[in-house]
Amino acid sequence: MRVFFDPAQRLHAPVAELYGGQLIDPFESPQRADRILDAVSHLGTASEPRDFGREALTRVHAPDFVAFLEECWEAWAAEGFAGDAMTAAMPPDRREAHCPSHIEGRLGYFAFSGESAITSTTFKAARASANTALAAAEAVAQGAKSAFALCRPPGHHCMHAQFGGYCYLNNAALAAQAMRDSGAAQVAILDIDFHHGNGTQDIFYDRADVLFCSIHGDPDRAYPFYLGYSEEVGRGAGHGFNHNFPLPEATAFAAWLEAFEAAAGHISRFGAEALVVSLGVDIYESDPQSFFRISAPNLFEIGRRIAQFSMPTVFVMEGGYANDELGANVARVLTGFTG
Ligand SMILES: [Zn+2]
């Protein structure tokens, strides 16, 4: 398995995250990447990705959104604000909303959720994360059987034109689009992060060429709350190509596997030529954000089941916040996959 990592991803290190009414140390920290990097060293030395350019980003993101991410910090600092760029301002209805020129208003316009800050180096780190996913997709398109993109900040919450949930660019969507652009007629995305991949769903919701399946904590009780329900099945040409499997609190592995097998059925029938896995290990039972009962050995079994698709596979790192076990948990899934 090829492994990709860009050290510039460490540059994104906000001072705080808004959680439970407090500004706390962010769950999503640069140390996560180092813990994972250490734990997957047995798979091979990580390669640094090349720069795929801004054009690659606008294959799945709105150009004005990418421009906002690039310009945000400078405009925020110019306004004289003392901290990282965060706002509580959100449009009441984005479909009707005017995008203002003031950076505080723009920040809310391009966010769907207010917990995640933008710093002077966030865009640089997010681009490095995107390049990491694109390099993994490129390696698989060029013949590698599988690749692991050690991405952070993560990506699956980031929508076509809105960031949030620690995600600034959608790495998995970029990888899937890159596979399409390099010749795969159909690509499947399997999102096993504890949280629904609302951003990936949003990006491919109208499309029949990219199948999206997500297994996650019921959004009635878990972030991102407003999307991820089973009745969201795609729209227009994309109708029938989006499948959500929301699972209740205290879901045990047997029930999780039932959802996995249902998703696997959709993926097999779809006839994908390549698979992108949004790999979040925050499904782990001791993760501070999880309410599933999924053990460390279960993670190995998940990797083994993913290998049974026998498809060219790109793993894209998403969440996972049980820091002491984080690296080992990622290695468990990948080792289960490689056998
Ligand atoms: Zn997550």
Side-chain angles (χ1 to χ4, degrees):
M1 178 179 287
R2 298 285 308 277
V3 177
F4 292 90
F5 176 70
D6 188 328
Q9 295 181 100
R10 295 189 182 104
L11 292 172
H12 172 66
V15 172
E17 158 183 352
L18 180 60
Y19 179 81
Q22 291 182 297
L23 288 172
I24 61 162
D25 290 340
F27 281 102
E28 206 291 295
S29 69
Q31 292 75 31
R32 293 179 63 249
D34 290 304
R35 289 171 185 271
I36 298 167
L37 194 60
D38 283 348
V40 301
S41 59
H42 65 286
L43 294 170
T45 308
S47 307
E48 268 191 51
R50 66 182 176 90
D51 182 10
F52 288 78
R54 290 172 92 271
E55 316 72 55
L57 307 179
T58 52
R59 294 289 295 137
V60 305
H61 290 297
D64 62 343
F65 171 65
V66 176
F68 155 78
L69 287 177
E70 187 165 19
E71 298 156 4
C72 173
W73 175 258
E74 211 170 305
W76 181 260
E79 206 57 50
F81 291 126
D84 294 344
M86 294 180 92
T87 185
M90 295 273 173
D93 182 346
R94 191 169 188 275
R95 288 163 300 185
E96 307 272 326
H98 180 89
C99 183
S101 63
H102 192 283
I103 188 57
E104 191 179 8
R106 277 166 64 77
L107 194 55
Y109 182 83
F110 285 111
F112 72 85
S113 179
E115 77 294 299
S116 306
I118 290 178
T119 74
S120 62
T121 45
T122 294
F123 186 62
K124 193 168 184 190
R127 278 199 60 185
S129 191
N131 283 331
T132 301
L134 288 164
E138 184 176 65
V140 170
Q142 291 174 353
K145 277 187 186 162
S146 61
F148 172 50
L150 205 183
C151 294
R152 76 73 52 183
H156 74 147
H157 291 305
C158 186
M159 302 169 81
H160 175 64
Q162 285 176 291
F163 75 96
Y166 319 150
C167 302
Y168 303 89
L169 293 167
N170 194 313
N171 307 313
L174 287 162
Q177 184 63 48
M179 300 298 287
R180 283 284 294 110
D181 292 342
S182 53
Q186 301 191 112
V187 176
I189 303 174
L190 173 63
D191 189 323
I192 62 165
D193 187 278
F194 174 73
H195 305 96
H196 176 243
N198 60 298
T200 315
Q201 169 172 304
D202 174 64
I203 287 167
F204 296 114
Y205 207 57
D206 300 287
R207 289 171 53 171
D209 58 331
V210 178
L211 176 77
F212 180 64
C213 295
S214 181
I215 307 165
H216 47 266
D218 188 341
D220 186 57
R221 303 289 305 159
Y223 192 90
F225 298 117
Y226 312 106
L227 287 170
Y229 297 88
S230 51
E231 61 266 30
E232 296 155 19
V233 293
R235 182 174 50 214
H239 187 91
F241 296 94
N242 192 94
H243 301 283
N244 286 324
F245 299 89
L247 299 173
E249 288 169 77
T251 289
F253 191 49
W256 191 94
L257 273 183
E258 268 179 47
F260 178 91
E261 290 305 329
H266 288 299
I267 291 169
S268 299
R269 288 189 292 278
F270 180 60
E273 293 173 19
L275 176 67
V276 174
V277 178
S278 267
L279 175 58
V281 293
D282 44 8
I283 50 176
Y284 176 54
E285 57 195 358
S286 299
D287 193 285
Q289 301 202 5
S290 176
F291 56 55
F292 289 166
R293 293 183 182 155
I294 293 181
S295 69
N298 295 157
L299 293 170
F300 184 88
E301 175 63 15
I302 290 170
R304 208 182 63 78
R305 300 253 180 155
I306 293 170
Q308 289 174 355
F309 290 113
S310 297
M311 257 192 271
T313 302
V314 180
F315 286 91
V316 177
M317 192 66 219
E318 303 286 0
Y321 310 100
N323 285 331
D324 290 343
E325 285 296 306
L326 173 61
N329 281 342
V330 173
R332 284 176 181 118
V333 177
L334 299 181
T335 309
F337 179 87
T338 57

